[in-house]
Amino acid sequence: MGQRHLETDGEPTIDCATRRLAVDSAADVARAAFDHAGELTTLEYGRSAAVLGAVRLACRRTRIGEPDREEFAAAFDVEPDRVIAADELLAEHLGSPADAADVRSLRRRLVVAREILAAVERGRNAGPQLPGSRLADVAPFLLARASSHLDSRTDRTFPGLEATALRDHVARLEADLEFARLGTRLYASLRIEE
């Protein structure tokens, strides 16, 4: 879809826009969003608005934080309402990310898994200090296994709580969280590019 060409006639590219707005880490996601539906959005709102809409969408879905509406006008001489409309059209073509509650639940599971991994890697004799916290309910089975596995008062051992297996579990949860935040089509577009 031609996104990776050099800037022409003063129209920004994804890389230029992310750099100028200081959101470089959103570039890959913005590029995937633009590659997916940028041509249609360009026809409707113009190339600059489509590129900036893709950047705005990427910032929101990667949790970087959206640039202020007025930053678009100041940095690129593009009407903010056109950028927002382009963002909405891109989002319509890409589909929605997961519910905020689902994203929070995955993030909590990831926190628990990382805590358990850290405890295992340090060779602690007790599980993470999560019982009684709101995070304890997120992954009770994993937390119980870790606590029993790491508690020197028990002679039970549970396979799968080695650091390698936990690292794999954390990696899966990180991928699930990214999938939930980005949405199906955008996540798939990024994986195809890799």
Side-chain angles (χ1 to χ4, degrees):
M1 295 194 179
Q3 167 55 36
R4 296 192 175 101
H5 296 295
L6 297 175
E7 287 180 58
T8 57
D9 301 332
E11 294 177 333
T13 62
I14 295 292
D15 291 330
C16 168
T18 56
R19 193 172 38 255
R20 199 177 298 175
L21 293 169
V23 291
D24 293 357
S25 59
D28 290 339
V29 174
R31 196 174 297 107
F34 188 86
D35 287 348
H36 184 78
E39 285 185 13
L40 297 171
T41 308
T42 297
L43 291 173
E44 185 78 23
Y45 298 104
R47 180 168 171 82
S48 293
V51 166
L52 296 172
V55 170
R56 185 174 189 266
L57 181 138
C59 289
R60 188 174 57 257
R61 292 205 184 172
T62 57
R63 309 286 252 190
I64 291 172
E66 293 175 36
D68 184 58
R69 296 172 43 105
E70 303 310 316
E71 285 184 69
F72 296 116
F76 299 99
D77 195 28
V78 176
E79 187 178 323
D81 291 338
R82 291 185 70 76
V83 174
I84 291 167
D87 173 357
E88 290 170 356
L89 183 59
L90 285 163
E92 184 181 313
H93 285 281
L94 287 166
S96 300
D99 292 340
D102 293 335
V103 171
R104 276 191 304 276
S105 176
L106 280 167
R107 194 171 48 244
R108 288 178 182 149
R109 284 188 195 134
L110 182 58
V111 167
V112 170
R114 285 179 176 158
E115 287 289 324
I116 293 169
L117 175 61
V120 168
E121 288 178 334
R122 287 190 308 264
R124 288 183 51 188
N125 288 333
Q129 301 300 312
L130 294 174
S133 76
R134 61 189 172 94
L135 294 177
D137 296 332
V138 174
F141 179 70
L142 184 59
L143 185 61
R145 287 181 64 187
S147 296
S148 294
H149 176 75
L150 296 170
D151 190 345
S152 61
R153 295 172 293 172
T154 67
D155 55 356
R156 290 189 223 155
T157 59
F158 294 93
L161 285 180
E162 324 63 58
T164 303
L166 285 169
R167 272 189 225 96
D168 291 344
H169 185 64
V170 165
R172 281 190 299 276
L173 286 173
E174 288 170 343
D176 289 349
L177 182 58
E178 182 182 21
F179 178 82
R181 284 181 176 160
L182 295 177
T184 307
R185 290 187 189 118
L186 191 50
Y187 182 83
S189 294
L190 280 169
R191 293 300 153 251
I192 289 170
E193 285 182 8
E194 291 177 352

